[in-house]
Amino acid sequence: MNNNKRIAIVGAGVAGIALAILATKQGYQVSLYERDSKVSSIGAGVTLWPNAIFVLQQMGLEKEITRFGGRPSYMRQFDQNGIRQGEFDIEDVNTLSGFPSITILRCDLMNILAKALYVLGVDIHFNCSMTAEDIDGLKQEFSLVVGADGRMNSVVRQTLYAEMAQPCYQGFINIIGISQLKVDALDNAIHDFRGPGERFGIVPVNAGLCYWAGGWSTAIDKERPLSTWFDEMHQRFINWPDPVQSTLRSYEKSSLSRIFVHDLDPLPYWHQDNVLIIGDAAHAPLPTSGQGACQALEDSWHLAQLLQEKSGLDDVLTEFYLQRIVKTSAAQTAGRQLAQKVFGDNSEHQPSVSDISAEQLSQFWMQGLEMKYT
Ligand SMILES: Cc1cc2nc3c(=O)[nH]c(=O)nc-3n(C[C@H](O)[C@H](O)[C@H](O)COP(=O)(O)OP(=O)(O)OC[C@H]3O[C@@H](n4cnc5c(N)ncnc54)[C@H](O)[C@@H]3O)c2cc1C
C-alpha cells in the first residue's frame, strides 16, 4: 500500500500520535487533526504493560518513558480493612515478556509522544473538531483516513455505524486524581483495595507521586454537581486504611475527574472503503482491563507494519482487523468480567491477584508482537 502515501488521522490521543510517528517514519505524509487546542492530558495516569513497552521501544521512546515513569514491582490486593488478599509479582511477568511494566502520568506520556512527532517535523492541526462532512472530504483527499477519536463520541465510528455501536455504561463511576505521598509510602507496589461494590486503586509513579482511582457502582447522573461526587468519594473511602487516607488528603484538586465508565461491545468490522477506526474508537475496553492505551499502541504498530506490505488497501485493512480482533475482544471481555466481580451484585467474593498466572498473562500480552516485516 505504498503508491499514494497520504494518511489523515482524526484524534491526537495515544493511538493517533503513535500511528502518526510510525507512519511518518515509513515515509507516509501524515495529517493529524485534534479537536482540542493542545494535546490532551485528561486522565491521571496509565500503566504501560510489557506489550506497550514493546511498541514504545520500536518507536525509540522506551528510554524517555522509563525516565519519566515508575517501575512497580508488585500488585497488592487488600480488603477495605487493609487485610492483604493477594500479591502478584510484576517482575515475573516482565521477565517472561522481555519488557518492563512502566507507570506514567498521562500528561508525561502524551508530551513524550507529541515531542517525538514534532521532532519528525509533523505538526498537529489543533482546534479541528472533525465532522462527518469533514470525514467525507478527507476520504477524497487522502488514501487512508484513520479515526483515532476515542471511545465516547467517535465521529469516524459514526460514519461507519451511524447510531449503532454506541458506548455502553457499565454501572460504575471512577473518580481519578494525582497525589504526592511520602517517598516510600507505597513500597513500589500498585495497591488495589476492594470492598463490596467499591474499589480504590493507587499506582506509584516515582518519588511518592502516584495516581489513583476510586470507584463504586452507581446509576449514571450527569446533572449532579461534580463537587457532590467528590464529597461522596471522601465519605465512602475516608475510613479506608492508609495509604487511601493519605492519598485523599494530598491530591491536587485540579487533577480530579469524574468518569462514568463506558466501554464498547466488540464490533464486526472496523473499516469501510478507505476509512478505518483504531484504539478506543474501535474497541474501548474498561479500565479494569488495564489495556486500553496498551492496545491503542499495539494497533498503531500493527497497522504501520501492514502498511509496509505490497497488498491493496482493502486487504491491508481486512488483515488488520483479523490480526487484532481476538486480542482486543479478549481485553474487552476481561475488563467486563473483573468489573462485574468488583462492582456487580456478588462483589463480596473477590478473585485474588495471587491466582493470576504470570505465564498466561505474558503469553496474552505478547501475542502477535513478532517482528514480521522489518
Ligand atoms: C480511569 C481510566 C484509567 C485507565 N487506565 C489505563 C491503564 O492503566 N492502562 C491502559 O493501557 N489504559 C488505561 N486506560 C484506557 C486508556 O486511557 C485509553 O484506552 C486510551 O487513552 C485510548 O487511546 P485513544 O488514542 O484510542 O483515545 P483517546 O486517548 O481518547 O484519544 C482520542 C483523541 O481524539 C480526539 N477527538 C475526539 N473526537 C474528535 C474529533 N471529532 N475531531 C478531532 N479530534 C477528536 C480527542 O480530543 C482525543 O485527543 C484508562 C482509562 C480510564 C478511563
Side-chain angles (χ1 to χ4, degrees):
M1 203 252 96
N2 266 329
N3 33 2
N4 184 349
K5 296 191 129 201
R6 297 190 68 211
I7 302 180
I9 302 172
V10 180
V14 178
I17 302 187
L19 178 63
I21 292 170
L22 290 162
T24 303
K25 284 186 171 178
Q26 285 172 14
Y28 283 85
Q29 193 188 326
V30 172
S31 296
L32 176 54
Y33 303 93
E34 168 57 44
R35 69 177 167 194
D36 286 340
S37 56
K38 55 183 174 38
V39 168
S40 165
S41 57
I42 294 172
V46 284
T47 302
L48 299 165
W49 297 105
N51 51 331
I53 300 301
F54 167 90
V55 175
L56 289 158
Q57 190 188 72
Q58 297 292 306
M59 296 166 71
L61 296 177
E62 187 195 352
K63 274 201 186 122
E64 194 70 347
I65 294 285
T66 309
R67 193 159 75 84
F68 280 87
R71 227 185 125 145
S73 302
Y74 297 99
M75 182 149 39
R76 294 196 180 120
Q77 183 184 333
F78 304 85
D79 68 12
Q80 73 273 37
N81 301 310
I83 297 171
R84 197 188 287 191
Q85 305 293 306
E87 177 176 274
F88 179 74
D89 187 335
I90 296 175
E91 291 300 341
D92 281 350
V93 83
N94 293 346
T95 305
L96 288 164
S97 307
F99 296 88
S101 300
I102 309 273
T103 56
I104 190 162
L105 295 187
R106 188 175 287 261
C107 55
D108 289 332
L109 171 64
M110 296 313 296
N111 285 338
I112 290 168
L113 290 171
K115 191 172 134 208
L117 185 62
Y118 179 76
V119 167
L120 291 172
V122 179
D123 290 328
I124 300 171
H125 303 284
F126 289 110
N127 299 308
C128 289
S129 186
M130 306 304 272
T131 62
E133 293 75 50
D134 295 326
I135 308 300
D136 270 348
L138 295 177
K139 274 176 76 169
Q140 312 305 321
E141 202 184 327
F142 291 84
S143 47
L144 174 61
V145 179
V146 179
D149 49 349
R151 74 179 62 198
M152 294 306 289
N153 301 300
S154 164
V155 166
V156 185
R157 186 174 66 231
Q158 267 172 38
T159 68
L160 301 186
Y161 280 97
E163 288 311 306
M164 295 178 304
Q166 293 296 323
C168 326
Y169 179 54
Q170 292 298 337
F172 64 100
I173 187 176
N174 269 347
I175 309 280
I176 58 172
I178 298 171
S179 294
Q180 179 67 56
L181 304 181
K182 285 193 196 130
V183 169
D184 52 2
L186 294 171
D187 193 22
N188 209 25
I190 296 174
H191 282 55
D192 179 2
F193 292 86
R194 299 186 198 171
E198 297 174 329
R199 184 185 199 191
F200 201 99
I202 312 172
V203 182
V205 179
N206 51 35
L209 192 66
C210 64
Y211 67 89
W212 51 266
W216 64 91
S217 49
T218 182
I220 199 163
D221 180 357
K222 291 186 180 159
E223 302 303 315
R224 202 177 131 184
L226 268 185
S227 60
T228 67
W229 290 105
F230 300 153
D231 291 345
E232 181 175 347
M233 172 182 68
H234 276 271
Q235 278 161 20
R236 282 177 178 270
F237 295 110
I238 200 64
N239 290 322
W240 285 33
D242 246 352
V244 177
Q245 290 199 24
S246 34
T247 300
L248 286 176
R249 278 197 303 267
S250 60
Y251 58 76
E252 293 165 30
K253 274 210 172 106
S254 61
S255 72
L256 289 190
S257 288
R258 179 220 59 197
I259 300 166
F260 292 112
V261 185
H262 290 68
D263 68 355
L264 287 179
D265 288 326
L267 298 176
Y269 57 91
W270 294 339
H271 83 277
Q272 239 168 37
D273 306 324
N274 62 343
V275 178
L276 170 74
I277 44 177
I278 65 170
D280 272 9
H283 47 70
L286 292 176
T288 37
S289 75
Q291 278 287 314
C294 303
Q295 292 305 314
L297 285 164
E298 276 198 39
D299 274 358
S300 305
W301 182 77
H302 279 278
L303 183 58
Q305 294 285 299
L306 284 166
L307 288 171
Q308 291 185 58
E309 291 197 339
K310 298 275 180 283
S311 334
L313 182 62
D314 198 61
D315 290 343
V316 164
L317 302 186
T318 303
E319 180 60 23
F320 174 71
Y321 182 79
L322 294 175
Q323 278 187 9
R324 300 291 298 131
I325 185 63
V326 173
K327 192 168 180 181
T328 56
S329 300
Q332 287 167 295
T333 304
R336 280 188 183 176
Q337 282 172 345
L338 181 56
Q340 180 56 33
K341 284 175 185 144
V342 175
F343 299 110
D345 291 339
N346 290 319
S347 58
E348 286 83 14
H349 306 291
Q350 291 298 315
S352 167
V353 286
S354 301
D355 297 335
I356 298 173
S357 152
E359 285 79 9
Q360 277 176 9
L361 202 56
S362 165
Q363 263 171 25
F364 171 64
W365 281 341
M366 299 316 288
Q367 176 194 315
L369 295 174
E370 302 92 22
M371 299 297 300
K372 277 179 272 191
Y373 304 101
T374 49

